Amino acid sequence: MAKVDAKLLEKISNFIESNGEEPLERLIDDYSVDRESSTLTILVNSGSHYIPPKYLVGEVFNFTEGGINTDKKELEVFVKTKLQVLSVKLREKNWDRINIIPTGHPMLSMHVTLMVYRITRKEPNIVCYFGNSGYREVFIEYRPILDV
């Protein structure tokens, strides 16, 4: 077993003091599995914003790119077509983790999130932009909340 030097222990202690134990545990868990092969990251609208590479984990799937036509009929056909393509991707394999980066129109992000849950029955990890705070991962397990 490798020895941990005092500087690293101090950094870990400072991190826990500032952020609590849970974020550190998630970091360790995230790096102890093969994230590349078991993670799907869905970029709802690519090209909208710069996404730091550390959030583009595993296989990256671009749901849409650029603007969308807001004509009612064309919009409905567009969204349904994109959701069909997404459904094929979601069924390709049993993803251990699914990240959603909700860029672009909120309506698209809502449909992507619903499709992910309906097909996989897994809660997605949402990677959101919080202005000056930058990007943050938000993962909520709903079953314990619903007491199911």
Side-chain angles (χ1 to χ4, degrees), residues 59-133:
E59 187 171 337
V60 177
F61 177 81
N62 293 317
F63 182 69
T64 63
E65 187 174 344
I68 56 175
N69 188 328
T70 58
D71 175 76
K72 185 178 179 179
K73 287 184 181 182
E74 288 187 35
L75 179 61
E76 186 175 326
V77 169
F78 174 78
V79 172
K80 285 180 177 179
T81 302
K82 293 297 184 179
L83 289 171
Q84 286 172 337
V85 173
L86 175 60
S87 74
V88 170
K89 175 55 71 180
L90 291 169
R91 289 182 175 106
E92 270 183 13
K93 61 174 150 179
N94 186 14
W95 303 100
D96 288 333
R97 180 181 174 119
I98 300 172
N99 300 320
I100 298 174
I101 303 177
T103 53
H105 197 283
M107 176 270 305
L108 295 173
S109 297
M110 291 168 43
H111 283 294
V112 165
T113 304
L114 282 169
M115 182 65 79
V116 165
Y117 187 76
R118 288 204 180 232
I119 289 177
T120 68
R121 293 290 188 226
K122 294 180 181 179
E123 290 93 351
N125 183 49
I126 310 295
V127 180
C128 297
Y129 181 70
F130 290 96
N132 291 338
S133 297

